Amino acid sequence: MKWSISQLQKLREVTLDETYDFSYLAKDHADLLDVKPVHVSGRGVVHASRITFQLHVEGVLQSPCARTLQPVNVPFSVDTIETFLLHGDREEEEEIEHVHFLDNDVVDLEPILSELILVEVPLQVFSDEATSGPLPSGEGWEVQTEDEAKKIEEESEKKVDPRLSDLAKFFTDKENN
């Protein structure tokens, strides 16, 4: 995934269809347990002033369940177009998304693919066991779903505070008169 400009200019077009190992990403990211081998496919085309890669990246991330901490496989799939400028005015091109500037006349896709993978890490994931089984509870507390919490809130709104029960009668008496 690393080419020099001279290599790319000789090839004029690069086709990718390989599997890469990004498991090292899990070591530096707390929400990742593992990154299964990632399949990268696509092509890169060399133009006069830039190199454009049209890529499809797919794989499986393994993250801990938010309730049970059991590993959960999370598939991901990303399509992207990345452009590397060979030379040109940086100020004009910085307004375009996914534009990269070359360091040492080398095109390296690995840091870009690493970033794309890390963006796909979910904030929260639940295993099938955690969502199908009973929610955890203890002495004086329990985990509630949003629907249960809404239902309890609606029931508490319907109940009239006993201190204000006479006030409720006031309005019914006034309506009857």
mmCIF file of all heavy atoms in Angstrom, residues 149-161:
data_model
loop_
_atom_site.group_PDB
_atom_site.id
_atom_site.type_symbol
_atom_site.label_atom_id
_atom_site.label_comp_id
_atom_site.label_asym_id
_atom_site.label_seq_id
_atom_site.Cartn_x
_atom_site.Cartn_y
_atom_site.Cartn_z
ATOM 1 N N ALA A 149 -39.166 3.190 30.829
ATOM 2 C CA ALA A 149 -38.977 4.468 31.510
ATOM 3 C C ALA A 149 -40.084 5.450 31.141
ATOM 4 O O ALA A 149 -40.602 6.167 32.005
ATOM 5 C CB ALA A 149 -37.609 5.050 31.172
ATOM 6 N N LYS A 150 -40.476 5.485 29.866
ATOM 7 C CA LYS A 150 -41.576 6.366 29.437
ATOM 8 C C LYS A 150 -42.885 5.972 30.103
ATOM 9 O O LYS A 150 -43.656 6.818 30.547
ATOM 10 C CB LYS A 150 -41.753 6.296 27.915
ATOM 11 C CG LYS A 150 -40.914 7.246 27.155
ATOM 12 C CD LYS A 150 -41.282 7.186 25.689
ATOM 13 C CE LYS A 150 -40.404 8.097 24.878
ATOM 14 N NZ LYS A 150 -40.667 8.009 23.450
ATOM 15 N N LYS A 151 -43.143 4.665 30.167
ATOM 16 C CA LYS A 151 -44.389 4.177 30.767
ATOM 17 C C LYS A 151 -44.455 4.572 32.237
ATOM 18 O O LYS A 151 -45.491 5.060 32.713
ATOM 19 C CB LYS A 151 -44.453 2.653 30.621
ATOM 20 C CG LYS A 151 -45.739 2.049 31.087
ATOM 21 C CD LYS A 151 -45.746 0.552 30.849
ATOM 22 C CE LYS A 151 -47.006 -0.080 31.383
ATOM 23 N NZ LYS A 151 -47.022 -1.529 31.194
ATOM 24 N N ILE A 152 -43.375 4.407 32.959
ATOM 25 C CA ILE A 152 -43.338 4.768 34.382
ATOM 26 C C ILE A 152 -43.525 6.275 34.544
ATOM 27 O O ILE A 152 -44.243 6.733 35.441
ATOM 28 C CB ILE A 152 -42.020 4.291 35.025
ATOM 29 C CG1 ILE A 152 -42.022 2.761 35.107
ATOM 30 C CG2 ILE A 152 -41.817 4.911 36.390
ATOM 31 C CD1 ILE A 152 -40.713 2.154 35.521
ATOM 32 N N GLU A 153 -42.923 7.057 33.664
ATOM 33 C CA GLU A 153 -43.053 8.509 33.735
ATOM 34 C C GLU A 153 -44.496 8.949 33.472
ATOM 35 O O GLU A 153 -45.029 9.827 34.165
ATOM 36 C CB GLU A 153 -42.120 9.163 32.718
ATOM 37 C CG GLU A 153 -42.072 10.667 32.816
ATOM 38 C CD GLU A 153 -41.082 11.263 31.839
ATOM 39 O OE1 GLU A 153 -40.002 10.688 31.662
ATOM 40 O OE2 GLU A 153 -41.435 12.311 31.260
ATOM 41 N N GLU A 154 -45.148 8.327 32.483
ATOM 42 C CA GLU A 154 -46.535 8.654 32.182
ATOM 43 C C GLU A 154 -47.449 8.284 33.342
ATOM 44 O O GLU A 154 -48.377 9.026 33.670
ATOM 45 C CB GLU A 154 -46.987 7.938 30.913
ATOM 46 C CG GLU A 154 -46.382 8.508 29.647
ATOM 47 C CD GLU A 154 -46.678 7.669 28.417
ATOM 48 O OE1 GLU A 154 -47.355 6.620 28.546
ATOM 49 O OE2 GLU A 154 -46.233 8.059 27.329
ATOM 50 N N GLU A 155 -47.213 7.151 33.983
ATOM 51 C CA GLU A 155 -48.027 6.731 35.128
ATOM 52 C C GLU A 155 -47.862 7.696 36.293
ATOM 53 O O GLU A 155 -48.835 8.009 36.983
ATOM 54 C CB GLU A 155 -47.659 5.313 35.554
ATOM 55 C CG GLU A 155 -48.122 4.243 34.593
ATOM 56 C CD GLU A 155 -47.635 2.856 34.972
ATOM 57 O OE1 GLU A 155 -46.954 2.710 36.023
ATOM 58 O OE2 GLU A 155 -47.912 1.918 34.215
ATOM 59 N N SER A 156 -46.653 8.169 36.497
ATOM 60 C CA SER A 156 -46.433 9.092 37.612
ATOM 61 C C SER A 156 -47.072 10.448 37.339
ATOM 62 O O SER A 156 -47.483 11.142 38.258
ATOM 63 C CB SER A 156 -44.944 9.250 37.902
ATOM 64 O OG SER A 156 -44.297 9.905 36.838
ATOM 65 N N GLU A 157 -47.172 10.840 36.050
ATOM 66 C CA GLU A 157 -47.838 12.101 35.714
ATOM 67 C C GLU A 157 -49.342 12.006 35.929
ATOM 68 O O GLU A 157 -49.982 12.988 36.259
ATOM 69 C CB GLU A 157 -47.531 12.476 34.256
ATOM 70 C CG GLU A 157 -46.123 12.964 34.046
ATOM 71 C CD GLU A 157 -45.821 13.264 32.588
ATOM 72 O OE1 GLU A 157 -46.733 13.119 31.737
ATOM 73 O OE2 GLU A 157 -44.678 13.635 32.298
ATOM 74 N N LYS A 158 -49.939 10.820 35.742
ATOM 75 C CA LYS A 158 -51.373 10.635 35.912
ATOM 76 C C LYS A 158 -51.778 10.701 37.374
ATOM 77 O O LYS A 158 -52.874 11.132 37.700
ATOM 78 C CB LYS A 158 -51.819 9.291 35.319
ATOM 79 C CG LYS A 158 -51.761 9.249 33.811
ATOM 80 C CD LYS A 158 -52.171 7.891 33.300
ATOM 81 C CE LYS A 158 -52.003 7.789 31.799
ATOM 82 N NZ LYS A 158 -52.308 6.438 31.318
ATOM 83 N N LYS A 159 -50.913 10.251 38.253
ATOM 84 C CA LYS A 159 -51.224 10.275 39.681
ATOM 85 C C LYS A 159 -51.216 11.716 40.175
ATOM 86 O O LYS A 159 -50.329 12.490 39.862
ATOM 87 C CB LYS A 159 -50.188 9.472 40.469
ATOM 88 C CG LYS A 159 -50.230 7.995 40.193
ATOM 89 C CD LYS A 159 -49.207 7.271 41.014
ATOM 90 C CE LYS A 159 -49.188 5.793 40.696
ATOM 91 N NZ LYS A 159 -48.122 5.104 41.418
ATOM 92 N N VAL A 160 -52.223 12.047 40.938
ATOM 93 C CA VAL A 160 -52.337 13.394 41.488
ATOM 94 C C VAL A 160 -51.732 13.386 42.891
ATOM 95 O O VAL A 160 -52.000 12.496 43.700
ATOM 96 C CB VAL A 160 -53.824 13.832 41.541
ATOM 97 C CG1 VAL A 160 -53.959 15.199 42.167
ATOM 98 C CG2 VAL A 160 -54.414 13.797 40.150
ATOM 99 N N ASP A 161 -50.936 14.400 43.144
ATOM 100 C CA ASP A 161 -50.334 14.554 44.465
ATOM 101 C C ASP A 161 -51.472 14.718 45.479
ATOM 102 O O ASP A 161 -52.357 15.559 45.293
ATOM 103 C CB ASP A 161 -49.439 15.785 44.454
ATOM 104 C CG ASP A 161 -48.648 15.939 45.743
ATOM 105 O OD1 ASP A 161 -48.938 15.222 46.716
ATOM 106 O OD2 ASP A 161 -47.736 16.779 45.768
#
